[in-house]
Structures are given as C-alpha cells and as structure tokens.
Amino acid sequence: MVVVAAGAVAQESAPKPAAKAQNDPIAELVGRMRAAEQACKSLEVELRTLAVWPDGTTMHTHGTLRVLRGTQPALHTRFEFRNDDGVRGRSESAQTATGIVVFEDDGVFGEVCVQIDAKTAADLRWAGEVLDQGDLPGMRDRRAEAPLGSAMLESLRAHFDLQVDTAKDRSGVAGTWLSGKKKPGLDSEGGDVPTADTVTAFVRAADHALLEVVHKAGEQVVQQLVVERLTVDADLPPSAFVVQTNGLVPRPLVQHAPLADQVEQTLRQAEAKRARALAELQAKDASLKDQKPEVRPSRR
C-alpha cells in the first residue's frame, strides 16, 4: 500500500523518451543525471512525500531506498505512511540473490511477512517487462534503476512544458530550478490520483540529484517529494538489506493466498500476451508455425 502511495509522488508513469533536441538544456541535464546514475556503485536515499487526494485527505510518507550494484546486486525499500484519518503503517522489502522478503503493516489488516523465492522473483521480473508493469515485488523498480531521478525528470518533461528558471540555488545549495505548466491535450489523471497543472523541480549541481518536486493545482500543493539525504557510493553491508519483521518469520508465498493469487494471475497474463503476439506473427508468416510462445523463465 505504501509503495503505491509513495510511487504516486516519486514517479510519473513512464513515457517513451523524448527525442533530444539540439541545445535543449533539460535534455542535457537528464543526460548528465543518467550518466551519474550509471556510474553509481551504490546509493542510499532518504525521502519524504506528500499527496493531497481529491477528497482532501493528505497522505504523508517517509522512507529510504538502498541500491547496491555489481556482482551481488541488492535492493531495499522502507516506507512509513500516515494520513489525516490516523491510519498508519509500514511497508518494507528487500531483494537479494536469494529472493525477496516483503513486510507489510497497513494499520488495518495487521502485519504480514512473505518470502518470494528467487525463481518466482525472476518470473515476476520477466512479467513486469512483458506487461510494462512495476506494481509487484520483483518487477522493475524505476526508482532503483534511476535513483538520482532522471526517469522522473524525463517523465515530468513529457507531461509539463518545463523551462529552466533563473534561480540557481536552493537554500544555498547550487543547482538548477525547473518549472512548467501541464502540456495541453494530455489526458487528465482519473480516479483518486491527485491532479496538477504546474510543477517545479530542483536538481543539485554537485551530483545531478533531483532533490525536490512540487505539483500544484492552482496555488494548492497536491504532490511533493523532498530528498532529505542522498549518499552516492555509500558503504552498504549485508545488514542494510535485512527486513525488520517485528519478529515475524517470513511465510512462503504459497501460504499467503492474496499475494500468491495475484502473482499467478499476473504471470498468466504475461504468458497470454506473449501467446497472442506469436499468434499474430504466425498468421502473417507460415515459417513460424512450429514456434512455441515464450513462457515464464521457471517453465523453460
């Protein structure tokens, strides 16, 4: 639950990258951010977010993201959330070579701790690629792949007419301020998602990190992300990727029916999509008639 709430602020839906124009300062800035992200061996981010929903409810989150790359990559996220109704909770997960551990305490259903084995984690990674989804553990985490915020800035650029502002610092820290109005003709966000017609963002000069993003509807702040601490090439020992489970022993995925059913349904959807795509190709090319559709990695 909290991962979704934080993600609503921390990243927009991922559009296709915009073509780089000559002398485009924002495209150049995104390029520098991506280069810095690729050079990172590890990274730890502490951030807070705010979202004001259409009904006036305000959701606050505070969390950390740890990313370790190299021969033994690992990922850890932890978010605590609270809203105006007094609902509080925590979501924490870690992914290593042995699989994924997920802990959830949403304040309503109590505490749940689940272990997802490495083979299923690989299946979920594959399904996420096929379906272009990132809503289940193990799927591509765009925050982890672009921890300095390049993917988010690229997405903001697709949704808003961003311009470089004249201000050159944030509380004495050198960097670039960007702002812009929502581009005309884009579909409005629907449902419970906060809407915004303007956005401002700040990228720190020293490490090309996106430190703050504020979405507004008129003068009302509807979404905000603030990076409170960011350490590049941090020393992250194995203990940094251990989930605090409040003493709960992680249950195998098969013993937690709600998540297990969701995982299986998602994997079947991915396989069905691959089967449909192959059938369309076979209808056009008879030489492919004996080819079998791609299935989840654990079934190959």
Side-chain angles (χ1 to χ4, degrees):
M1 176 177 176
V2 68
V3 173
V4 175
V9 179
Q11 62 185 41
E12 304 275 345
S13 58
K16 298 297 182 182
K20 182 176 178 179
Q22 284 188 332
N23 301 320
D24 183 338
I26 299 176
E28 293 173 358
L29 178 59
V30 171
R32 290 194 295 271
M33 294 171 73
R34 286 176 175 163
E37 287 167 340
Q38 291 301 312
C40 288
K41 297 180 178 64
S42 66
L43 188 139
E44 184 173 27
V45 183
E46 180 181 357
L47 56 88
R48 58 180 170 85
T49 70
L50 173 150
V52 181
W53 306 109
D55 65 359
T57 301
T58 301
M59 173 73 76
H60 300 267
T61 72
H62 179 268
T64 57
L65 168 69
R66 297 177 183 135
V67 181
L68 181 64
R69 294 172 172 167
T71 57
Q72 295 183 318
L75 172 66
H76 179 276
T77 63
R78 176 188 171 108
F79 283 93
E80 298 177 352
F81 68 89
R82 60 181 174 84
N83 66 18
D84 295 339
D85 297 330
V87 177
R88 295 175 177 268
R90 173 166 68 92
S91 175
E92 186 173 354
S93 68
Q95 182 168 0
T96 62
T98 60
I100 306 170
V101 175
V102 180
F103 175 87
E104 294 280 351
D105 178 7
D106 67 4
V108 176
F109 298 103
E111 298 177 342
V112 175
C113 191
V114 180
Q115 170 81 48
I116 301 175
D117 62 86
K119 287 185 177 180
T120 304
D123 287 347
L124 283 165
R125 173 77 179 195
W126 169 79
E129 298 288 345
V130 172
L131 300 173
D132 192 23
Q133 291 180 196
D135 56 338
L136 287 176
M139 291 183 170
R140 171 183 288 184
D141 190 322
R142 292 187 176 94
R143 295 166 304 173
E145 295 184 353
L148 296 181
S150 68
M152 183 179 183
L153 185 57
E154 184 66 54
S155 183
L156 291 174
R157 184 169 173 249
H159 290 85
F160 295 86
D161 184 19
L162 287 183
Q163 304 293 327
V164 176
D165 288 348
T166 56
K168 300 298 182 183
D169 75 285
R170 174 177 176 265
S171 300
V173 176
T176 302
W177 278 103
L178 309 165
S179 64
K181 296 181 179 180
K182 189 172 183 179
K183 291 183 177 180
L186 296 180
D187 292 336
S188 297
E189 299 91 341
D192 296 329
V193 179
T195 58
D197 47 49
T198 62
V199 69
T200 59
F202 178 79
V203 178
R204 184 165 58 190
D207 52 11
H208 310 300
L210 183 64
L211 295 189
E212 183 174 3
V213 178
V214 180
H215 292 74
K216 288 185 176 182
E219 296 300 317
Q220 172 67 45
V221 173
V222 292
Q223 293 188 27
Q224 183 179 30
L225 175 145
V226 176
V227 172
E228 297 186 329
R229 180 174 57 87
L230 185 150
T231 306
V232 175
D233 294 338
D235 182 14
L236 298 176
S239 59
F241 299 92
V242 175
V243 175
Q244 302 302 311
T245 67
N246 288 354
L248 288 182
V249 177
R251 298 161 55 189
L253 178 63
V254 294
Q255 295 182 14
H256 185 62
L259 182 56
D261 291 346
Q262 187 178 6
V263 167
E264 181 59 27
Q265 182 180 7
T266 299
L267 295 177
R268 289 180 180 178
Q269 288 174 348
E271 290 176 331
K273 183 176 180 178
R274 281 292 192 247
R276 290 194 302 270
L278 178 59
E280 291 175 1
L281 291 174
Q282 290 171 331
K284 299 176 182 178
D285 187 348
S287 67
L288 300 175
K289 65 178 182 178
D290 295 327
Q291 186 170 330
K292 302 297 182 182
E294 184 182 26
V295 296
R296 66 192 74 173
S298 65
R299 290 184 172 177
R300 297 171 192 169

